[in-house]
Amino acid sequence: MPNKVEFKPYDFIFAKVKGYPHWPGRIEPFEPDPSGKPPKKYPIIFYGTRETGNIKSEDLFPYHENKERFGKPQKRKFYNEGLWEIENNPDWDPNITIPVSVSQLASQLTPKTPSAAKKAQLQQATAAVAAEDTSNKRKRADADSGDQPANKKQAKTSQAMNFFPVKIAATWNQLPENIVSAGTVNTFKNLLDKFWITKPPVLHPTNYVPNSLRLMYD
């Protein structure tokens, strides 16, 4: 719901800027609208940083009414100093300094380290995820390498028994590991040629390759 509060110069407020907590500040003097309409934006000076800006009225909240809601210590730099200034030195008297304890408050709000048990659980969960990821990568690498055994298709007719995919599967599965996992086509062909020399002629691929493809082996 839009904020319908009208502010006057020097009113204390909390201003909400994207990415920051509700920040303590003060309305600066401004020229009122001649028609009496409240301004859509108000000039603001922020405590803690003394930066200025023009903030929409819906992003401004009266300080005292929202002190319990927004005025809690934060880890954000200069925020706690701003809370102290709006209460103790709203006019920035140079003779009044911010206590060191206020400036150190942000570092004291740093989250505690997890307990040993929670830390061990986190490490175990991380290790399990890493192991599963490694296993999946290995499976994908094996699948991509092309060194899996060929699936021999079942032929239901005598004509189908002479099809190239049916006849070549058994021969492929008899090839040594160094051949089926060759890195390049030329390496594969060279290793295969040497392999055929030591095997009976019945295993030579030209027995299974159609005439149209025999040029590969010539």
Side-chain angles (χ1 to χ4, degrees):
M1 174 180 270
N3 188 356
K4 297 182 179 180
V5 178
E6 293 186 24
F7 298 97
K8 304 183 300 298
Y10 305 109
D11 279 350
F12 292 158
I13 50 88
F14 281 104
K16 185 66 181 78
V17 178
K18 186 177 181 180
Y20 292 86
H22 291 76
W23 205 283
R26 185 179 74 185
I27 305 289
E28 289 295 273
F30 59 89
E31 291 291 333
D33 190 294
S35 63
K37 293 181 180 179
K40 294 182 179 180
K41 291 185 177 181
Y42 288 90
I44 306 297
I45 185 166
F46 295 96
Y47 287 104
T49 64
R50 303 192 189 181
E51 294 179 348
T52 59
N54 293 310
I55 309 298
K56 293 180 181 179
S57 58
E58 56 262 34
D59 293 326
L60 300 176
F61 304 85
Y63 175 76
H64 294 290
E65 292 87 334
N66 293 279
K67 182 178 177 180
E68 291 297 321
R69 181 183 177 190
F70 300 134
K72 297 178 175 61
Q74 301 271 351
K75 291 186 294 181
R76 176 76 68 168
K77 191 176 181 181
F78 300 126
Y79 183 85
N80 300 315
E81 290 87 336
L83 288 178
W84 186 91
E85 281 186 339
I86 198 172
E87 291 282 349
N88 301 281
N89 190 18
D91 297 318
W92 294 288
D93 184 338
N95 297 316
I96 302 175
T97 57
I98 299 174
V100 177
S101 58
V102 174
S103 301
Q104 293 176 342
L105 187 56
S107 61
Q108 297 171 3
L109 295 173
T110 304
K112 296 181 179 178
T113 358
S115 64
K118 289 184 178 180
K119 199 170 183 180
Q121 290 177 356
L122 180 62
Q123 290 175 343
Q124 290 176 358
T126 304
V129 171
E132 184 178 357
D133 185 56
T134 302
S135 175
N136 291 335
K137 287 181 179 178
R138 186 179 297 113
K139 290 178 181 178
R140 288 195 296 269
D142 291 342
D144 293 340
S145 67
D147 56 5
Q148 297 296 309
N151 293 322
K152 185 175 182 180
K153 297 181 179 296
Q154 297 296 322
K156 296 183 179 180
T157 65
S158 58
Q159 183 179 6
M161 290 179 64
N162 293 319
F163 285 174
F164 178 76
V166 175
K167 300 182 69 174
I168 201 60
T171 302
W172 174 268
N173 292 336
Q174 294 178 37
L175 295 177
E177 175 70 19
N178 67 316
I179 297 180
V180 298
S181 61
T184 66
V185 174
N186 288 333
T187 302
F188 173 80
K189 292 173 67 176
N190 292 334
L191 293 173
L192 189 61
D193 289 340
K194 294 178 181 178
F195 176 73
W196 291 136
I197 296 174
T198 64
K199 296 299 177 183
V202 71
L203 290 179
H204 196 278
T206 55
N207 293 315
Y208 306 102
V209 179
N211 291 332
S212 59
L213 299 179
R214 286 175 184 264
L215 290 176
M216 293 175 57
Y217 298 94
D218 291 342

